Amino acid sequence: MRLVLIALATLWGIGAVLALLQTREKTLDAKLTAAYFVGWPALLVLVYLNQPLPLWIGVPVMFGFVPWFLSGPHLWSVVRDPSRSKPDEIVGIPIGYWKWGSIGAVLLGILFNWLVRP
């Protein structure tokens, strides 16, 4: 299992470096997507290493997997065709979803923190 985790981390690292290299001369959306593609797993590792954290911090970080999962195809499409980038989107997701999703994830974390007391 340890070798599998090492292989996955290595592949992610190589993909992240390639993504950053390919977006050097691309649009801001491509650069933000590449930064998110690199940064979210690092944030997740920090959250994992700093356990226990309050759920109002942990839940939004865990929900960040969904846009991270979608950021790869979005980054690929923006790198291939920069016109696919839209000004009201971050990582290919409308800004409204980011706002309301973040608020909802924090509120859900607060609710879980209140309901699941140690």
Side-chain angles (χ1 to χ4, degrees), residues 33 36-37 64-76 91-93:
T33 305
Y36 185 71
F37 189 69
F65 173 74
V66 175
W68 179 82
F69 188 68
L70 299 173
S71 70
H74 174 72
L75 179 61
W76 181 251
V91 190
I93 298 171

Side-chain angles (χ1 to χ4, degrees), residues 12-98:
W12 167 78
I14 291 169
V17 169
L18 290 175
L20 287 173
L21 289 175
Q22 287 184 346
T23 60
R24 277 188 304 189
E25 298 175 8
K26 299 294 180 179
T27 63
L28 179 62
D29 184 38
K31 291 176 185 175
L32 286 174
T33 305
Y36 185 71
F37 189 69
V38 171
W40 183 81
L43 178 65
L44 189 62
V45 168
L46 285 175
V47 167
Y48 179 73
L49 293 175
N50 290 309
Q51 291 293 329
L53 282 177
L55 291 174
W56 65 272
I57 295 173
V59 171
V61 172
M62 294 304 163
F63 276 127
F65 173 74
V66 175
W68 179 82
F69 188 68
L70 299 173
S71 70
H74 174 72
L75 179 61
W76 181 251
S77 69
V78 170
V79 166
R80 289 181 67 197
D81 181 16
S83 67
R84 298 189 111 182
S85 172
K86 296 179 183 160
D88 62 339
E89 292 182 347
I90 298 174
V91 190
I93 298 171
I95 292 173
Y97 289 133
W98 282 102

